[in-house]
Amino acid sequence: MAVKTKAQPFLKWAGGKRQLLPEIRKRIPARFHTYFEPFVGAGAVFFDIQPKKAVINDINFELINTYRMIQNDVEKLIAELEKYKNEKEFYYKIRNLDRTQEFEKLSNVERAARLIYLNKTCFNGLFRVNRRGQFNVPFGKYKHPNIVNADVLRAVHEYLITNEISILNVDFGQAVEQAEAGDFIYFDPPYDPLSETANFTDYSLHGFTRDDQIRLRDLFVKLDKRGCYVLLSNSATPFIKELYADFHVEIVEANRTINSDAAKRGKIA
């Protein structure tokens, strides 16, 4: 009898939390009502917990559109993905669509397939856009990328339709407006950069600034006072440690997995 595939991340994403799951699990409340994740990304924590009731959100429209297509019409998405080829010329044709008027004419399923394809075949599986909101990661030159991972996509679809999962594309503050006492919110925002040259917040056109970090801290305080369980991950910079000085802070090490220089993919706090 074949082992059933478990719902799991269907993308590789900068800042993904797979390697930190053992540490995060230790800090998840034993019981909670609704789970909220305002910066869901690839959903490593979300798919690990697999709550029966959840609100997930991300500011990146292309990402959230892909979640919605998997939830609503996964077979059509799989069929669309089967059209894609792991070839350099084809890659750049698909990548450069957002530089043309044709991009706005793409259907939601075509946009979702494009995102998955680019993620599987671009360099390091990195989602990054320029100041015009255009995807700008070069071709990855992989021999056998798993472009059509149908088993995982179907498993994610099954999980999303058999549980009470709301999928939003709003500001992180709006995403938790309905959170009540006893709910659990996990925040995994774009991290405060460790240096001026390490600033990677280009998951969306608008980036994530220190003013956003302050606004997030204020929301964290508000939710805590409301009686919610609140957990947040960020880099251990002096700025972040000062922001959360009134809360319990634990430092854990994580490997940097996305860097153009392999020698710099070391441990960070």
Side-chain angles (χ1 to χ4, degrees), residues 124-226:
N124 253 339
L126 175 65
F127 187 96
R128 184 187 66 206
V129 296
N130 61 24
R131 291 185 179 182
R132 295 182 179 179
Q134 299 163 338
F135 191 85
N136 64 353
V137 184
F139 184 56
K141 301 179 183 178
Y142 302 118
K143 289 185 178 180
H144 303 291
N146 193 2
I147 296 171
V148 191
N149 195 340
D151 288 345
V152 166
L153 292 175
R154 289 183 177 121
V156 171
H157 166 76
E158 184 68 18
Y159 166 66
L160 293 177
I161 65 168
T162 55
N163 293 279
E164 192 176 341
I165 312 298
S166 298
I167 304 174
L168 306 180
N169 175 222
V170 296
D171 176 78
F172 64 84
Q174 292 177 262
V176 297
E177 283 181 347
Q178 303 304 315
E180 300 176 345
D183 291 340
F184 173 43
I185 301 96
Y186 173 57
F187 288 111
D188 184 33
Y191 282 11
D192 187 49
L194 296 169
S195 68
E196 290 185 7
T197 59
N199 189 1
F200 179 76
T201 59
D202 299 328
Y203 307 104
S204 69
L205 178 59
H206 305 293
F208 202 81
T209 67
R210 284 199 164 180
D211 285 341
D212 291 318
Q213 296 284 5
I214 293 170
R215 189 162 61 93
L216 175 57
R217 187 278 314 274
D218 293 344
L219 179 61
F220 191 95
V221 171
K222 181 180 178 181
L223 291 167
D224 176 61
K225 290 181 178 178
R226 194 181 293 177

